[in-house]
Amino acid sequence: VCFNGALITQAVGEKFVDLYSLTLERLDTLLLYQLLSKEFPTLSVNLYSQDRWLVAAIDPWVQQEADITGIQPEVVDLKLFLKDYHPIHKILCMGDPAEIQRLSLELEVADMLGIDFYPSKDTYMEIVNNQVSKLAALCHLCEAYNCSLAETIAIGDNYNDMPMIQHAGIGIAMGNSPEEVKQIADEIAPANSEEGFSRGLAKCFGLAYNE
């Protein structure tokens, strides 16, 4: 499940088959890129299309994200890329916290009703279709696998994880989560840096965790 739930894909043999895909509307994508290019030239703009990560240049923000994820982006002319009608699942903007806050205010007053945006860090702003959410993705998977939300476990560490954590059968907040996320969770796992994901699952299934 990728891009806050915008894309659900499954490995079938050596290929990936999409189970669900919801992209930004083309007009919204073009308007967003125009706004970012004109009003926010210092922000690092990243486009995500299927399994492709596209950037205009390898700036320090992009390099930082590449180091975190272990993935290298494609460097392309973003304006030309958008002219070719590629599906865009997410736009990620990275930069100084003050500029991210200014972008948030600008998006709030912009006439783009088809988008949703949220800061995943004080230096990251993520923009997706407004019908996208991790809870919606979880519900879609429940339908695909014929199970109920009560039979699911959801683990997350940020505000955009809250609906999923709240509605899953067992909702787990990571130890590094904001306090609001922890308050609605059924369980609190150790932080990401302390192998909280695997420890949280082990506890749910009553398994011993080996260091």
Side-chain angles (χ1 to χ4, degrees):
V1 179
C2 316
F3 317 134
N4 205 40
L7 178 66
I8 303 175
T9 190
Q10 184 176 38
V12 178
E14 296 182 357
K15 297 182 178 180
F16 281 93
V17 176
D18 293 346
L19 302 178
Y20 178 79
S21 177
L22 184 59
T23 62
L24 285 159
E25 295 292 338
R26 177 165 172 76
L27 180 58
D28 287 335
T29 300
L30 296 176
L31 288 173
L32 283 165
Y33 185 71
Q34 183 180 44
L35 171 68
L36 293 167
S37 299
K38 182 178 179 181
E39 302 294 339
F40 298 90
T42 64
L43 290 182
S44 175
V45 178
N46 303 251
L47 305 182
Y48 293 84
S49 175
Q50 300 291 139
D51 61 347
R52 302 175 70 184
W53 171 20
L54 304 120
V55 298
I58 305 295
D59 59 39
W61 291 104
V62 170
Q63 187 58 58
Q64 173 183 271
E65 184 68 4
D67 292 341
I68 293 171
T69 62
I71 300 170
Q72 289 298 318
E74 298 177 48
V75 178
V76 301
D77 185 319
L78 296 182
K79 187 175 182 179
L80 288 178
F81 184 82
L82 290 174
K83 283 185 177 180
D84 288 337
Y85 291 82
H86 293 285
I88 304 299
H89 288 91
K90 184 179 81 169
I91 298 175
L92 169 64
C93 302
M94 299 184 286
D96 182 80
E99 280 296 273
I100 294 296
Q101 180 61 31
R102 188 168 74 88
L103 174 60
S104 179
L105 295 174
E106 191 72 26
L107 292 175
E108 285 179 5
V109 300
D111 188 22
M112 286 180 275
L113 301 179
I115 71 167
D116 193 13
F117 56 93
Y118 55 91
S120 51
K121 300 180 182 179
D122 62 355
T123 54
Y124 283 32
M125 178 66 75
E126 306 199 26
I127 306 171
V128 294
N129 186 298
N130 70 347
Q131 299 301 308
V132 165
S133 75
K134 292 185 179 181
L135 175 58
L138 185 60
C139 290
H140 184 85
L141 286 172
C142 285
E143 292 179 10
Y145 290 100
N146 193 29
C147 65
S148 68
L149 279 172
E151 297 174 278
T152 64
I153 298 172
I155 303 178
D157 65 357
N158 219 318
Y159 297 108
N160 59 315
D161 297 311
M162 289 177 70
M164 175 183 69
I165 291 172
Q166 190 168 22
H167 289 87
I170 300 175
I172 303 173
M174 304 296 286
N176 54 287
S177 304
E179 193 58 36
E180 297 93 325
V181 181
K182 294 178 182 177
Q183 288 176 357
I184 57 93
D186 300 303
E187 300 282 350
I188 309 296
N192 291 342
S193 59
E194 299 169 345
E195 301 182 346
F197 181 85
S198 53
R199 288 175 181 268
L201 283 181
K203 182 178 179 181
C204 282
F205 290 107
L207 302 174
Y209 185 82
N210 297 318
E211 296 290 346

